[in-house]
Amino acid sequence: MFNLERIRKDFPILSRKVNGKPLVYLDNAATSQTPQHVIDCIVDYYSNYNANIHRGVHTLSQEATDKYEAARQTIQKHFNVKKAHEIIFTSGTTHGINLVANGFSSFLKSGDEIVVSALEHHSNIVPWQMLCERTGAVLKVIPMNEEGELVMSEFDNLLSPNTQLVFVNHISNALGTINPIEEIIQKAHAVDAAVLVDGAQACPHIKPDVQDLDVDFYVASAHKMCGPTGVGILYGKEAWLNKLPPYQGGGEMIAEVTFEKTTYADLPHKFEAGTPNICGGIAFGAAIDYMNSIGFNNIASYEHELLEYATQQLLKINGLKIYGTSKHKTSVISFNLEGIHPYDVGTILDKMGIAVRTGHHCAQPIMDYYKIPGTVRASFAFYNTKTEVDSLVEGVKKAQMMLS
Amino acid sequence: MTIQEIQNDIIDEFSMFEDWEERYQYMIDLGKTLPLIDEQYKTEDYIIKGCQSKVWVHADLDGDRVVFTADSDAIITKGIIAILIRVFSNQHPKDIIEANMDFIDKIGLKEHLSPTRANGLVSMIKQLKMYAIAYQTQLN
């Protein structure tokens, strides 16, 4: 049962005030809020079994290791991963992307091609540009259309026997468009290219099955799915992870070290150099448990209801334009008021206790496409209410009145 | 008027506002008072890029005083710029360099000068002082 009132009580931060007004938190695409269950897990870790993992013989180290590895298994199960060691703990999505980009730099040669989408976050563009500069590979971009969707017929033309890697986000952070990754993966595999999917924006809303998708790499961040910041995962097919060289040197990632030669540890430790974010990993597992206790079907259908309602209400405001109008989108609304800078709208909304994101959302190419400096982005989570949508609408009207 | 006197005037004016709405409406109205900069200076050479809003600043020496003009594409940012220009323009470089910025806090606009706002204002104030340092050297 989806009980909104009870769910809201799970999040202590939702009852605080901002600028004297009840907080209306609509910046969930930037970071989600943390339920008491996850906060308790973090407190429990530091209160009861904080220790370094994988090498201590003492009880605390054993307990911490068990919980950390149990979290890996929770994550494995959630994403339907075949083997637990195909899950690499990272510091977040950006780290996972860089790890793969760095790995590919040892295979790529001049003339090879990497395909990315026009809907990418900067963290998805910059590592590949750096990779292309290093290796002489060429970066190709799948264009977008007015609705904020990828032009898939163009994608077909970009693929060639030279394509080594295709790289796309599952859901666009700036517009909320759900990309057809099934089709992208299938077509990329037909030319023997690997596919890396950025799931940062998708994982708070849907439960990806990596085996069913047959995706080669999938990355996500805990802090977008009710977990703490500074931790995330890279899923990679075992064969790929064995093929990629280690990313960072250090403790944990070695099997044997002499001054002549070092042999690397097995997966997943090969990619987990140094002391990891132990508490973060364990809390990530707790966050996934929490979200599953609510149920991703419930989350998706309620968020869709919120999206429809908010879209309807916002479009009643004269001069308001929504960017990203695909039929396939999650609960993100990017918009502008005619003749008004998004920064000004965001500033007025903040004064009313309403948290939205303004700016280019680290996706400047999208803003360039629409020829705008940025947008106001309201992104909804399953704990938001229709009353909060109403507050947003009132806030936007007030901002329009003050700023026109 | 000295920088300090102007700042005191602004603090007095702002103390008359009852709530944030009046304060912001005042800044928005200030932001609407055009022009703050000659169009020829609204180019890449004079831009200070914030992550969110753009700011253009131009400086000139008039006798022994620095004259600033500036603009922004966001109106609240522009309102704050109007206040900064009122404080710093037509002042001696030395006074600009030595001026403190406490008044921003006293009129309740400190949040706009936090680095997280990324509106270009923090860089703008640095830029104003840099111009002042440059002109001070020239005058010496």
Side-chain angles (χ1 to χ4, degrees), chain B residues 89-137:
Chain B
S89 198
N90 282 308
Q91 298 290 343
H92 293 283
K94 191 169 175 287
D95 296 338
I96 298 169
I97 298 164
E98 287 167 1
N100 82 48
M101 300 297 297
D102 291 356
F103 82 104
I104 291 285
D105 197 4
K106 291 185 182 136
I107 59 177
L109 296 180
K110 195 183 172 195
E111 66 209 46
H112 291 277
L113 296 181
S114 122
T116 64
R117 299 293 288 209
N119 52 14
L121 283 170
V122 176
S123 316
M124 179 187 168
I125 290 169
K126 269 191 209 144
Q127 190 81 358
L128 298 182
K129 296 216 171 196
M130 291 298 283
Y131 273 123
I133 291 167
Y135 285 127
Q136 177 68 26
T137 321

Side-chain angles (χ1 to χ4, degrees), chain A residues 21 341 343-344 347-348 350-352 358-360 373 398 402-404, chain B residues 20-21 24-25 28 32 51-52 73-77 111-112 117 119:
Chain A
K21 313 267 170 39
H341 198 285
Y343 175 81
D344 291 326
T347 300
I348 300 294
D350 175 57
K351 285 281 147 201
M352 301 173 71
T358 61
H360 52 57
K398 179 161 210 158
M402 290 179 75
L403 293 159
S404 301
Chain B
W20 73 268
E21 276 187 67
Y24 274 74
Q25 198 61 64
I28 291 163
K32 287 177 185 164
C51 194
Q52 304 233 4
D73 57 347
I75 204 159
I76 294 174
T77 307
E111 66 209 46
H112 291 277
R117 299 293 288 209
N119 52 14

Side-chain angles (χ1 to χ4, degrees), chain A residues 127-144:
Chain A
W128 306 110
Q129 282 173 337
M130 288 165 63
L131 179 58
C132 288
E133 275 168 26
R134 263 204 316 265
T135 60
V138 181
L139 196 65
K140 304 216 157 181
V141 182
I142 316 169
M144 61 180 274

Side-chain angles (χ1 to χ4, degrees), chain A residues 92-249:
Chain A
T93 299
T94 302
H95 176 197
I97 291 166
N98 278 284
L99 194 157
V100 176
N102 181 72
F104 267 78
S105 69
S106 60
F107 318 133
L108 289 181
K109 52 187 190 308
S110 175
D112 283 344
E113 292 168 2
I114 298 172
V115 176
V116 301
S117 91
L119 294 174
E120 298 309 314
H121 188 274
H122 291 168
S123 65
N124 270 10
I125 302 171
V126 179
W128 306 110
Q129 282 173 337
M130 288 165 63
L131 179 58
C132 288
E133 275 168 26
R134 263 204 316 265
T135 60
V138 181
L139 196 65
K140 304 216 157 181
V141 182
I142 316 169
M144 61 180 274
N145 63 20
E146 186 66 28
E147 282 74 39
E149 295 166 330
L150 294 177
V151 182
M152 289 303 287
S153 53
E154 289 293 324
F155 175 60
D156 296 340
N157 298 332
L158 293 178
L159 289 174
S160 83
N162 297 328
T163 312
Q164 297 300 325
L165 186 75
V166 175
F167 187 64
V168 63
N169 52 25
H170 195 162
I171 289 175
S172 150
N173 75 307
L175 306 176
T177 315
I178 304 173
N179 290 316
I181 60 163
E182 295 83 355
E183 187 186 339
I184 290 171
I185 293 164
Q186 205 185 6
K187 287 181 170 166
H189 283 173
V191 297
D192 287 328
V195 180
L196 164 58
V197 172
D198 170 357
Q201 293 298 329
C203 292
H205 310 288
I206 48 188
K207 191 172 176 171
D209 179 329
V210 295
Q211 288 191 71
D212 190 42
L213 287 167
D214 194 27
V215 66
D216 303 287
F217 302 99
Y218 195 95
V219 284
S221 292
H223 74 96
K224 309 248 194 225
M225 21 189 336
C226 300
T229 55
V231 65
I233 53 122
L234 160 68
Y235 158 77
K237 282 182 182 166
E238 187 178 30
W240 270 116
L241 292 178
N242 281 327
K243 205 171 157 189
L244 294 188
Y247 181 43
Q248 289 174 314

